[in-house]
Amino acid sequence: QQQVRQSPQSLTVWEGETAILNCSYEDSTFDYFPWYHQFPGESPALLIAIRPVSNKKEDGRFTIFFNKREKKFSLHIADSQPGDSATYFCAASPNTGYQNFYFGKGTSLTVIP
Amino acid sequence: DMKVTQMPRYLIKRMGENVLLECGQDMSHETMYWYRQDPGLGLQLIYISYDVDSNSEGDIPKGYRVSRKKREHFSLILDSAKTNQTSVYFCASSLGTGTTNERLFFGHGTKLSVL
């Protein structure tokens, strides 16, 4: 049972465009939603995260949009750069006190110069 | 320097052999994790450890066991490895305060091939 669903599996955009990566979840106890990125041959690293008290979180060119009613959240990468090419994982964690993280299957992003 | 260290980085084993993957962290984190990563499947949780000798199964524990005798060390053991356990294994840690804004720190991964 996939706790967190992520789409698309792969995405190609031109340099300067906005890349949009989507995730959804079912469990209403989830209340922390991080995004990790992973460059080839590297380990995943935290990029940005949101809690549902907000519906938007920005950090430079990276923005999370969160829709609690529809149980969806997305990562928007504005002005995409070739250096953004990586695999992006969304995740969710419940408010049960201990940190179980459920990851999506990942989106492989390619930014073409 | 906050670090999660995994040993070895690469490992080749024959089917039926035992495998030991080691993980250490220098941040005094309470919670540690073992994930495996396969193409198209993302990160799948094998085991989570909340502290010394306090371990819980994740989503895919079958064929694996873990050991945590010191807070800074978390081992993954494959008894009689199978070819379908060929994967990249990531160890991770988090502070474990119980707050819902924690960050996972990942090691560099161990690429295991079972022939």
Side-chain angles (χ1 to χ4, degrees):
Chain A
Q1 180 184 355
Q2 187 73 19
Q3 297 274 13
V4 177
R5 288 186 164 78
Q6 186 170 353
S7 64
Q9 187 174 355
S10 63
L11 177 65
T12 299
V13 300
W14 293 101
E15 182 175 356
E17 291 186 331
T18 296
I20 300 175
L21 291 65
N22 301 297
C23 285
S24 64
Y25 64 99
E26 293 295 328
D27 192 333
S28 57
T29 68
F30 290 162
D31 73 344
Y32 177 59
F33 303 90
W35 284 86
Y36 284 76
H37 60 175
Q38 183 180 28
F39 297 98
E42 304 267 328
S43 55
L46 180 65
L47 176 62
I48 186 172
I50 193 169
R51 298 185 65 190
V53 292
S54 305
N55 57 18
K56 182 180 176 181
K57 177 78 175 289
E58 287 182 272
D59 185 356
R61 296 185 294 109
F62 301 91
T63 302
I64 300 176
F65 292 93
F66 185 83
N67 185 322
K68 188 173 183 178
R69 183 179 61 84
E70 295 187 7
K71 294 181 181 175
K72 292 180 178 179
F73 58 110
S74 60
L75 176 68
H76 291 223
I77 305 174
D79 187 25
S80 295
Q81 302 296 309
D84 296 329
S85 297
T87 300
Y88 292 79
F89 295 97
C90 62
S93 180
N95 59 353
T96 56
Y98 286 106
Q99 296 293 286
N100 286 15
F101 289 88
Y102 298 93
F103 283 86
K105 293 184 178 182
T107 295
S108 177
L109 173 67
T110 301
V111 181
I112 301 172
Chain B
D1 190 22
M2 300 185 295
K3 196 185 299 182
V4 177
T5 304
Q6 288 185 238
M7 293 292 288
R9 292 289 299 272
Y10 304 92
L11 187 60
I12 299 174
K13 287 286 191 178
R14 295 196 179 279
M15 189 171 59
E17 291 185 328
N18 298 331
V19 178
L20 173 64
L21 304 184
E22 308 252 37
C23 176
Q25 49 97 359
D26 60 4
M27 298 169 278
S28 297
H29 283 175
E30 286 186 357
T31 310
M32 296 186 74
Y33 313 73
W34 276 107
Y35 288 91
R36 66 176 281 178
Q37 184 176 35
D38 301 289
L41 295 181
L43 292 157
Q44 298 176 273
L45 181 64
I46 305 171
Y47 268 93
I48 182 172
S49 174
Y50 301 113
D51 211 329
V52 172
D53 285 331
S54 179
N55 308 316
S56 290
E57 295 180 346
D59 297 323
I60 53 163
K62 187 177 179 181
Y64 304 94
R65 62 184 174 92
V66 292
S67 175
R68 192 165 180 205
K69 298 301 182 184
K70 294 182 179 181
R71 179 172 280 192
E72 61 269 24
H73 289 129
F74 190 34
S75 301
L76 181 69
I77 301 118
L78 289 66
D79 295 313
S80 187
K82 300 173 180 53
T83 56
N84 62 8
Q85 292 178 307
T86 292
S87 186
V88 178
Y89 291 86
F90 284 101
C91 174
S93 71
S94 67
L95 192 57
T97 60
T99 58
T100 55
N101 61 348
E102 294 204 26
R103 168 186 168 186
L104 285 177
F105 292 81
F106 284 88
H108 281 289
T110 294
K111 187 172 183 178
L112 172 67
S113 297
V114 182
L115 306 178

